[in-house]
Amino acid sequence: MADSTAKARPTARDLPETDQDGSTAGQAPLRTRVELPKASGSSSSPSIMATLSLEPAGRSCWDEPLSIAVRGLAPEQPVTLRAALRDERGALFRSHARYRADPHGELDLARAPALGGSFAGLEPMGLLWAMEPDRPLWRLIKRDVQTPFVVELEVLDGHEPDGGRLLARAVHERHFMAPGVRRVPVREGRVRATLFLPSGKGRFPGIIDLFGSSGGLCEYRASLLAGHGFAVLALAYFRFEDLPEYLSDVHLEYFEEAVAFLLQHPKVKGPNVGLLGFSKGGDLCLSMAAFLRNITATAIINACVANTIAPLYYKGLSVPDLGCDITKQKTMESGLLDLGDIWNNPLEEPHHQSLIPLEKAQGPFLFIVGLDDHNWKSESYAHIACRRLQAHGKGRPQIIYYPETGHCIDPPYFPLSRASVHAVLGEAVFYGGEARAHSRAQVDAWQQIQTFFQNYLNREIPEKRSKI
């Protein structure tokens, strides 16, 4: 295994091109130059009249708040701030907001509300979470975590986002590996993954990170989480390299092998690991917690409590998939598919056989629930989990509900993806969510997930075998 360590200034290179969910699909050159529409009077060298101040200066991690302030303006001067970045496939994401300087000619986004534009009100990070793509149904995904997103910010005179005189400009790198974090590609036995190790000496709590039914290997959540003191294994399970192209069945022995790999690593603190899963990856985490050893804490994001999409096998045991009724899918006026009602009820015969026996798990659960999730009935599934655990004399799981929050809950400051073309289905799918509420949910959920793992992965919990 070769590893790489986060550098302060990574160089541009050919990057693995990925599908909308971030799964590797080919090669494409990195594009980091951001071309904003030219402001009036800025076609030649503009006269910089103000100072745009960013803290941290120069670079920061994507999940880190960024302080933005402008100084040297006229008292109560109207200005427009705009931001842009370009992803690895060349899609341009942009936002803008109108502001007014204070009587001293200063503007601090932590204290001054936006007067309109891509968002309004007091939103210090709005210029990032309110970005929208220049192509329809395009989701912002970080495909190569070893390089940053390059964000260009500009201050324009007046309240016309494309017409005011350019007053100040700054370029800022938003990184996905904190300084000192190591990225280690893993090709051990059948396991196809990437391990992210924090900087520093000693051993760290281990977490396995699983994404959903689009497949591939998504690293950006694991790489960011490693910056907070966890050893995180981003694990692929189909549609990557020599793994199956389609999710026709699931063999839990593959995931058991991944747990064993993580626990034997000299930088991972045992004797147990945590699990973090989103969507289909969430119900896989629940199955791992129920049937495998050495799992002590499981956090899932908008997932089902039954086995879904493909049958699951483990040591002679089989769990059927929940199944669905495709005739119940809805086509919205926009043409987007709403899949929320297609799934069979796991409490009804014969679908209850797909329910995962959560009561067999060793440790606690955290359910992150978006109340406007249009892919799964996440709220209902969390209630089912709670009732089942209590019926078996287990403690209540921690459930956090987020109003007006859709399916795709990412780390902080990713723009809301209300809809995109699903990488496997090839159809435009509606995910739900309202931008402001969804953004706030992402910030809170990210902290809740870290706190959950810090609380339970640092405890000394005796090793115990789950019953099949």
Side-chain angles (χ1 to χ4, degrees):
M1 296 182 295
D3 66 61
S4 56
T5 304
K7 305 293 196 301
R9 293 279 187 256
T11 58
R13 59 180 180 83
D14 285 348
L15 295 175
E17 188 169 313
T18 57
D19 289 313
Q20 271 288 68
D21 67 320
S23 54
T24 303
Q27 294 291 325
L30 172 67
R31 303 176 178 92
T32 58
R33 179 173 177 78
V34 180
E35 296 181 358
L36 286 160
K38 290 184 177 180
S40 173
S42 65
S43 58
S44 58
S45 297
S47 174
I48 304 298
M49 301 176 61
T51 301
L52 180 55
S53 174
L54 307 177
E55 182 60 39
R59 61 163 286 161
S60 59
C61 282
W62 181 267
D63 62 342
E64 183 180 1
L66 182 64
S67 297
I68 304 173
V70 185
R71 295 177 178 83
L73 299 170
E76 300 185 349
Q77 180 177 352
V79 293
T80 297
L81 271 66
R82 62 185 188 183
L85 66 82
R86 198 176 288 277
D87 73 7
E88 289 107 332
R89 286 191 171 179
L92 183 65
F93 285 78
R94 294 184 290 182
S95 66
H96 74 277
R98 298 185 290 273
Y99 290 93
R100 189 174 298 277
D102 68 15
H104 304 287
E106 296 185 354
L107 174 64
D108 185 344
L109 270 58
R111 298 197 301 265
L115 305 177
S118 302
F119 58 94
L122 188 62
E123 297 291 343
M125 293 295 289
L127 288 170
L128 286 182
W129 64 251
M131 282 185 169
E132 295 185 353
D134 63 352
R135 28 181 109 167
L137 301 174
W138 199 257
R139 182 180 175 188
L140 183 62
I141 292 289
K142 193 68 184 83
R143 297 174 169 86
D144 188 317
V145 299
Q146 298 175 93
T147 61
F149 277 142
V150 179
V151 182
E152 183 169 337
L153 297 108
E154 293 185 334
V155 183
L156 307 177
D157 185 26
H159 282 168
E160 293 297 326
D162 298 330
R165 181 164 54 95
L166 180 65
L167 303 177
R169 173 187 283 129
V171 174
H172 190 83
E173 293 181 353
R174 296 284 280 177
H175 287 256
F176 286 79
M177 291 173 65
V181 168
R182 285 194 294 148
R183 177 184 180 273
V184 185
V186 177
R187 305 294 183 270
E188 294 284 333
R190 294 176 296 175
V191 176
R192 302 293 177 262
T194 303
L195 177 62
F196 292 92
L197 296 170
S199 61
K201 298 179 180 180
R203 297 190 300 164
F204 305 95
I207 297 171
I208 293 178
D209 184 26
L210 296 176
F211 271 78
S213 61
S214 293
L217 180 59
C218 299
E219 298 181 354
Y220 63 90
R221 188 168 62 200
S223 66
L224 288 171
L225 197 54
H228 297 277
F230 300 99
V232 189
L233 186 73
L235 180 64
Y237 54 96
F238 81 106
R239 204 166 165 263
F240 179 74
E241 293 186 353
D242 58 350
L243 294 175
E245 181 66 19
Y246 301 102
L247 196 62
S248 55
D249 54 36
V250 175
H251 293 270
L252 212 54
E253 288 84 355
Y254 172 78
F255 301 89
E256 187 174 44
E257 191 174 334
V259 172
F261 165 81
L262 189 58
L263 281 172
Q264 62 81 36
H265 196 283
K267 297 295 290 183
V268 175
K269 175 184 176 182
N272 301 294
V273 300
L275 304 176
L276 174 59
F278 162 67
S279 196
K280 171 57 188 175
D283 76 63
L284 280 172
C285 286
L286 295 179
S287 292
M288 292 171 69
F291 297 120
L292 303 184
R293 300 171 60 190
N294 305 118
I295 309 297
T296 198
T298 305
I300 68 168
I301 303 168
N302 283 338
C304 187
V305 290
N307 178 54
T308 64
I309 300 178
L312 181 141
Y313 302 96
Y314 180 60
K315 293 183 177 180
L317 173 81
S318 64
V319 181
D321 69 282
L322 178 62
C324 65
D325 183 352
I326 203 67
T327 64
K328 294 183 179 179
Q329 75 177 22
K330 301 173 185 175
T331 301
M332 305 172 67
E333 290 185 7
S334 60
L336 299 173
L337 293 182
D338 185 336
L339 304 178
D341 292 332
I342 70 171
W343 305 103
N344 293 327
N345 186 341
L347 297 180
E348 295 178 352
E349 295 276 3
H351 314 303
H352 75 282
Q353 297 177 37
S354 66
L355 277 170
I356 299 164
L358 307 180
E359 66 278 3
K360 295 181 181 291
Q362 298 177 43
F365 295 97
L366 168 63
F367 288 82
I368 300 293
V369 176
L371 292 179
D372 195 33
D373 180 2
H374 282 256
N375 276 199
W376 301 103
K377 295 184 181 298
S378 300
E379 180 183 11
S380 174
Y381 298 149
H383 290 160
I384 292 173
C386 185
R387 291 195 297 269
R388 183 179 183 110
L389 288 168
Q390 289 186 294
H392 286 84
K394 302 287 185 174
R396 291 171 59 91
Q398 182 181 0
I399 306 174
I400 305 177
Y401 303 99
Y402 293 102
E404 299 180 286
T405 300
H407 183 64
C408 301
I409 299 178
D410 271 320
Y413 315 124
F414 272 95
L416 166 67
S417 176
R418 299 190 78 238
S420 72
V421 177
H422 192 281
V424 172
L425 298 177
E427 300 278 357
V429 175
F430 181 65
Y431 300 131
E434 185 278 323
R436 184 193 306 267
H438 192 97
S439 174
R440 291 177 178 176
Q442 290 186 154
V443 172
D444 187 74
W446 190 238
Q447 186 56 58
Q448 295 283 356
I449 289 167
Q450 292 173 51
T451 300
F452 175 74
F453 286 128
Q454 287 163 356
N455 286 342
Y456 293 106
L457 292 184
N458 287 313
R459 289 184 180 181
E460 294 297 328
I461 298 177
E463 183 179 318
K464 181 180 178 182
R465 181 185 297 274
S466 295
K467 297 178 181 180
I468 295 180

